[in-house]
């Protein structure tokens, strides 16, 4: 592993110090010590409530995600609750997991929900959407879906961890009637329909009351290769007249079903515009049938402008240099422009913004080779870099609470930006998992406008100068408890920072810091505590906080206000 010190020697030395002189501070600041950075939290400038659902997850029936990751089976020696891995349940309770998306992803548009209900020993085996990418050594369940984990098991998992289920319906290969029936199976009252009786026979008499329904996934690609206009027509057909079981007059009926339409890949503005225009062509009221517009953005291209090829452009999860570090963060940071950009395009037909954004797939995506369990498809090893990436992304979501209704990190376990890795009886919390635990305090909080001033990071991108911001984060408040999360992306320089809370007095504070001296640091089954959050004290001086944000770190400051 290359230590951070070696990067200093590799040419980045002193960059922060030189750049620090560019930031100018008022006199009082200059006199108050050696700070090179400043954060101002504006308690009287609320931005909106941070939906807990911004901290959601995504679990696709893909390789080791479900079979091995989540589902071990009730007869397994691996500690489990009704077949579901117990370690996973325990950890997800700790992070207050609000919502989980299932069964895909691309898998969703090849899935027949009926295969996954009824007595387990009578469920069919089906070829998994991802079968072709499996190695010959892969467990049979990864190639041929045994359907042991279906709707009942998924909803039960959600109940055990205190999350809401978000089911993605198959729009490519099932008729709209099957969407109708799946909703009926999940939500029709006990004893009311044949499908509710089938649910009761499986031990689930009471309705699941599934609120969130994806209508197709990536319908521009694996979900059917539609044009935006064609997909809008399909969406209208699927979303029209789906059964609801609350009387229209009941206040809950408005939120009984929330449909999420398959939105754009990254910056495909034409997909957003085409869909909204086609929906509105039948009258803008049609847009009211949509709760969320799904945006997908993976940070994958680390080729520094050399190629846009999906295979060639990817970087390595573990072998990277400082430039790759910044490039990955740069790719991920595009998210803010995507949120603002799509929001703007959506407003052309939806000026009142009745439709919100749902970022239901996000995270870094590397080339194969770093799997904790060799052979697991799309599995990668999250490092400190991915923790910083994840903190940065969650902060970015917190800063747009009025636009984003939900976000789902891709994917929960044994996959891309995983919070957990598991194989048989082994289980480990990754640095990404620790970030979710630190950031849980933001859920349901009032987001506050916060101003970050820090030296910009300049780096050499193969002979051309490139830059990245020096310090960013987000703040929220619950009553008198303020949470400020901050990312320092610099690989070698800490940021001496003065934190001012405007509009309130500070009573007490503490910090939780996630960092490591090696930017490649990660947790493995054998060494599971290499990257872990640590508590640190914070100095309060003249109503200001002084804190040094270490290089390559994610920090949470928990501040009690008077
Ligand atoms: O998360 C892996 C895949 O990425 C999902 O199945 C798909 O929706 C996306 O392209």
């Amino acid at each position: 592993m290359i230590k951070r010190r070696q990067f200093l020697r590799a040419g980045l030395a002193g960059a922060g110090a030189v750049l620090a002189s560019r930031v100018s501070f008022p006199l009082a600041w200059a006199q108050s010590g050696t700070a090179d950075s400043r954060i101002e939290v504006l308690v009287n400038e609320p931005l909106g409530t941070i939906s807990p659902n911004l901290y959601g997850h995504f679990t696709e029936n893909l390789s080791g995600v479900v079979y091995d990751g989540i589902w071990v089976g009730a007869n397994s020696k691996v500690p489990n609750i009704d077949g579901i891995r117990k370690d996973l349940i325990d950890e997800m309770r700790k992070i207050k997991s609000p919502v989980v998306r299932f069964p895909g992803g691309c898998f969703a548009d090849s899935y027949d929900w009926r295969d996954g209900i009824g007595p387990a020993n009578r469920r069919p085996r089906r070829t998994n959407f991802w079968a072709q990418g499996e190695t010959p050594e892969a467990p049979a369940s990864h190639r041929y879906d045994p359907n042991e984990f279906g709707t009942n098991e998924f909803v039960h998992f959600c109940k055990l961890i205190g999350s809401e289920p978000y089911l993605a319906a198959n729009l490519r290969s099932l008729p709209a009637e099957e969407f109708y029936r799946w909703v009926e199976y999940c939500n029709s009252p006990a004893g009311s329909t044949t499908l509710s009786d089938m649910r009761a026979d499986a031990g689930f008499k009471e309705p699941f009351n599934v609120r969130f329904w994806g209508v197709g996934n990536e319908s521009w690609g694996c979900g059917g290769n539609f044009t935006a206009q064609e997909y809008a027509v399909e969406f209208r057909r699927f979303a029209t007249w789906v059964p609801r079981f609350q009387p229209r007059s009941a206040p809950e009926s408005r939120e009984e079903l929330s449909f999420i339409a398959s939105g754009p890949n990254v910056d495909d503005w034409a997909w957003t515009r085409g869909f909204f225009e086609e929906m509105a062509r039948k009258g803008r009221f049609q847009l009211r049938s949509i709760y969320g517009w799904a945006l997908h953005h993976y940070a994958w291209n680390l080729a520094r402008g050399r190629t846009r090829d999906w295979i060639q452009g990817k970087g390595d999860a573990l072998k990277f240099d400082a430039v790759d570090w910044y490039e990955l963060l740069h790719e991920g940071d595009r998210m803010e422009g995507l949120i603002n950009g799509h929001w703007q395009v959506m407003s052309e037909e939806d000026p009142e913004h009745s439709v919100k954004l749902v970022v239901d797939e996000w995270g870094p995506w590397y080339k194969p080779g770093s799997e904790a369990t060799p052979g697991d498809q799309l599995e990668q090893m999250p490092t400190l870099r991915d923790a910083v990436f994840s903190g940065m992304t969650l902060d970015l979501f917190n800063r747009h609470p009025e636009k984003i209704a939900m976000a789902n990190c891709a994917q929960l376990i044994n996959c891309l930006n995983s919070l957990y890795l598991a194989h048989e009886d082994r289980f480990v919390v990754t640095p990404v998992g620790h970030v979710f635990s630190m950031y849980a305090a933001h859920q349901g909080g009032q987001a506050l406008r916060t101003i970050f001033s820090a030296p910009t990071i300049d780096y050499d991108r193969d002979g051309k100068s490139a830059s990245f911001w020096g310090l960013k984060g987000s703040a929220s408040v619950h009553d008198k408890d303020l949470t400020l999360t901050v990312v320092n992306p610099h690989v070698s320089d800490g940021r001496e920072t003065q934190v001012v809370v405007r509009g309130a007095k500070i009573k007490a504070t503490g910090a939780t810091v996630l960092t490591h001296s090696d930017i490649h640091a990660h947790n493995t089954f054998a060494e599971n505590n290499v990257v872990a959050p640590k508590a640190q004290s914070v100095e309060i001086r003249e109503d200001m906080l002084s804190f040094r944000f270490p290089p390559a770190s994610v920090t949470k400051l928990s501040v009690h206000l008077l």
Side-chain angles (χ1 to χ4, degrees):
M1 286 184 181
I2 304 172
K3 298 278 181 210
R4 192 180 298 133
R5 298 265 169 268
Q6 287 169 272
F7 281 116
L8 275 170
R9 281 199 293 275
L12 286 158
V18 173
L19 291 162
S21 61
R22 286 207 212 142
V23 179
S24 62
F25 293 103
L27 192 59
W29 279 92
Q31 287 169 343
S32 67
T34 55
D36 60 16
S37 304
R38 177 174 46 145
I39 300 173
E40 284 181 76
V41 183
L42 308 176
V43 170
N44 295 325
E45 294 199 36
L47 300 174
T49 302
I50 297 173
S51 167
N53 291 341
L54 301 194
Y55 291 80
H57 305 286
F58 170 35
T59 54
E60 178 160 10
N61 190 347
L62 189 187
S63 213
V65 177
V66 170
Y67 296 103
D68 200 17
I70 303 173
W71 181 254
V72 294
N75 299 325
S76 170
K77 289 199 183 101
V78 179
N80 68 84
I81 300 179
D82 303 328
I84 299 159
R85 185 182 285 277
K86 185 167 179 311
D87 281 339
L88 179 65
I89 293 170
D90 293 345
E91 288 300 327
M92 290 191 76
R93 283 178 178 160
K94 284 189 212 158
I95 62 167
K96 298 191 170 48
S97 162
V99 61
V100 186
R101 178 176 183 238
F102 171 81
C106 293
F107 176 88
D109 278 295
S110 65
Y111 180 61
D112 184 343
W113 67 274
R114 288 185 192 262
D115 292 342
I117 61 164
N121 59 2
R122 278 195 245 140
R123 295 187 192 172
R125 278 174 295 143
R126 303 282 189 214
T127 310
N128 190 300
F129 172 90
W130 295 94
Q132 241 196 326
E134 293 294 337
T135 60
E137 299 78 36
S141 59
H142 293 187
R143 197 174 297 110
Y144 302 110
D145 179 8
N147 277 300
E148 288 170 28
F149 190 83
T151 304
N152 305 332
E153 294 75 18
F154 170 67
V155 174
H156 188 49
F157 168 52
C158 289
K159 291 256 178 315
L160 289 171
I161 60 175
S163 289
E164 279 214 54
Y166 163 15
L167 289 171
N170 179 344
L171 176 130
R172 175 175 57 80
S173 56
L174 284 184
E177 189 198 351
E178 284 306 310
F179 178 40
Y180 186 104
R181 296 287 171 228
W182 199 7
V183 174
E184 190 181 43
Y185 177 81
C186 290
N187 292 357
S188 57
S192 65
T193 63
T194 301
L195 287 171
S196 76
D197 290 347
M198 285 175 74
R199 193 185 65 222
D201 289 346
F204 302 95
K205 184 162 175 251
E206 295 310 318
F208 292 149
N209 295 326
V210 177
R211 171 185 172 187
F212 297 114
W213 294 87
V215 184
N217 168 75
E218 298 195 347
S219 302
W220 39 264
C222 64
N225 272 314
F226 294 104
T227 64
Q229 291 72 17
E230 287 164 350
Y231 172 63
V233 172
E234 290 299 307
F235 179 90
R236 278 205 302 258
R237 202 157 62 81
F238 269 64
T240 304
W241 224 257
V242 181
R244 294 167 200 254
F245 302 96
Q246 294 286 347
R248 248 189 222 126
S249 52
E252 309 84 80
S253 72
R254 274 187 52 233
E255 296 196 335
E256 192 180 349
L257 295 177
S258 298
F259 296 144
I260 295 159
S262 171
N265 187 29
V266 199
D267 57 356
D268 188 350
W269 318 116
W271 180 265
T272 296
R273 183 167 287 117
F275 175 86
F276 274 70
E277 278 175 3
E278 176 55 40
M279 286 296 288
R281 206 165 56 83
K282 279 220 73 200
R284 278 190 175 169
F285 71 92
Q286 290 285 341
L287 294 168
R288 287 195 220 124
S289 63
I290 313 168
Y291 168 80
W293 181 234
L295 163 66
H296 290 184
H297 172 46
Y298 289 99
W300 61 273
N301 193 339
L302 300 186
R304 306 179 191 179
R306 285 191 295 270
T307 176
R308 299 185 58 156
D309 182 89
W310 175 245
I311 307 288
Q312 300 301 320
K314 293 215 187 73
D316 196 282
L318 291 172
K319 292 183 217 110
F320 56 87
D321 61 19
V323 176
D324 295 324
W325 165 285
Y326 293 127
E327 290 286 296
L328 181 86
L329 296 181
H330 203 273
E331 283 295 295
D333 201 43
R334 290 176 65 197
M335 182 70 87
E336 194 144 28
L338 299 177
I339 289 165
N340 287 326
H342 286 293
W343 190 249
Q344 177 66 35
V345 176
M346 288 155 73
S347 73
E348 293 167 8
E349 294 296 344
D350 182 25
E352 278 157 22
H353 284 299
S354 67
V355 184
K356 307 291 181 208
L357 282 162
V358 167
V359 187
D360 59 13
E361 292 188 27
W362 67 266
W365 191 326
Y366 304 109
K367 62 185 177 195
S370 68
E371 302 79 12
T373 304
D376 272 7
Q377 214 180 149
L378 300 200
E379 184 174 300
Q380 59 194 32
M381 179 60 73
T383 66
L384 181 62
R385 176 171 61 162
D386 304 297
V388 167
F389 180 103
S390 301
M392 170 187 86
T393 305
L394 295 172
D395 282 326
L396 193 155
F397 293 155
N398 288 342
R399 296 197 295 266
H400 296 274
E402 79 291 9
K403 302 186 187 79
I404 316 173
M406 192 198 291
N408 310 73
C409 180
Q411 303 192 10
L412 180 70
I413 185 164
N414 293 349
C415 198
L416 300 170
N417 198 38
S418 296
L419 284 79
Y420 314 108
L421 297 170
H423 181 49
E424 297 171 347
D425 59 352
R426 283 166 288 171
F427 181 87
V428 63
V429 181
T430 72
V432 175
H434 288 309
V435 169
F436 271 82
S437 130
M438 289 165 67
Y439 277 58
H442 280 302
Q443 292 188 19
Q446 184 59 236
L448 301 174
R449 194 158 84 83
T450 304
I451 303 165
F452 295 82
S453 318
T456 301
I457 302 167
D458 285 342
Y459 63 98
D460 185 330
R461 189 186 193 241
D462 293 348
K464 291 207 177 103
S465 64
S467 62
F468 197 68
W469 46 259
L471 216 56
K472 269 197 193 178
S474 64
S476 68
V477 67
H478 284 93
D479 297 324
K480 296 281 173 201
D481 292 313
L482 177 99
T483 301
L484 171 65
T485 45
V486 179
V487 163
N488 177 4
H490 203 293
V491 292
S492 53
D493 290 357
R495 294 269 77 101
E496 293 292 347
T497 308
Q498 304 278 7
V499 182
V500 188
V501 180
R502 299 232 182 268
K505 291 228 175 286
I506 300 164
K507 193 171 154 202
T509 185
T512 312
V513 182
L514 189 77
T515 188
H516 197 277
S517 56
D518 180 356
I519 59 171
H520 310 90
H522 54 276
N523 298 334
T524 62
F525 295 138
E527 287 186 273
N528 62 10
N529 209 25
V530 175
V531 186
K534 296 200 172 51
Q536 217 175 296
S537 60
V538 186
E539 193 189 334
I540 305 183
R541 231 194 312 151
E542 295 167 21
D543 271 356
M544 279 188 291
L545 305 176
S546 285
F547 194 77
R548 179 178 185 274
F549 294 98
S553 66
V554 181
T555 299
K556 174 174 72 168
L557 296 182
S558 307
V559 184
H560 192 69
L561 305 174
L562 271 180

